[in-house]
Amino acid sequence: MKFLENIENVEFIEEEITHFVSGPYGYYAIIRSGMRIDITAVFTIQPPIDDFDTYYSFLFVESLHDFFLFRQLVCENKPGAWEVYLRLEVAERNGFFAQAQDYFNRIKAD
């Protein structure tokens, strides 16, 4: 199954991440509502930057339960808070992270 075909649902969350925590039991993000996202893998996505005064950087995140897209606004060379932007529900979890990485690498190469 291809990357885009594997996505069953996309939920816009747009909620600030208040803490990133690393400890003996793993790495996770806490969002403003109190939800904890247990992170198992991440890769960065940097779309082409047209305006270096204002742009977004992204993290694609695999968690124990779902996949997420985090984003951070950089304004006048000052990074803002990270936020959970999207939650992705997929049909087949196995291999989805690698599919996403390959998909975004191909887009970057074009």
Side-chain angles (χ1 to χ4, degrees):
M1 181 176 295
K2 293 182 181 179
F3 172 70
L4 293 176
E5 295 168 351
N6 198 359
I7 299 171
E8 289 188 329
N9 188 43
V10 176
E11 177 185 356
F12 286 90
I13 297 178
E14 298 180 292
E15 190 169 346
E16 183 181 347
I17 297 171
T18 59
H19 295 89
F20 282 101
V21 180
S22 176
Y25 301 108
Y27 183 60
Y28 52 93
I30 305 291
I31 63 176
R32 184 139 321 271
S33 67
M35 179 181 156
R36 177 175 133 170
I37 299 172
D38 293 288
I39 298 169
T40 58
V42 342
F43 67 85
T44 61
I45 303 168
Q46 183 57 66
I49 299 171
D50 295 327
D51 180 359
F52 281 89
D53 285 333
T54 306
Y55 62 93
Y56 281 101
S57 291
F58 296 88
L59 289 175
F60 188 88
V61 175
E62 179 179 13
S63 77
L64 292 177
H65 305 290
D66 289 308
F67 296 89
F68 296 89
L69 190 62
F70 294 177
R71 74 177 182 179
Q72 180 183 49
L73 179 64
V74 178
C75 199
E76 296 180 357
N77 212 26
K78 296 178 185 140
W82 281 99
E83 71 176 357
V84 178
Y85 183 53
L86 301 172
R87 181 173 65 86
L88 305 167
E89 294 176 18
V90 299
E92 179 56 51
R93 207 179 147 77
N94 189 27
F96 184 73
F97 184 83
Q99 286 178 331
Q101 208 166 13
D102 182 57
Y103 178 81
F104 286 109
N105 283 336
R106 278 186 283 136
I107 288 173
K108 185 171 51 174
D110 289 342

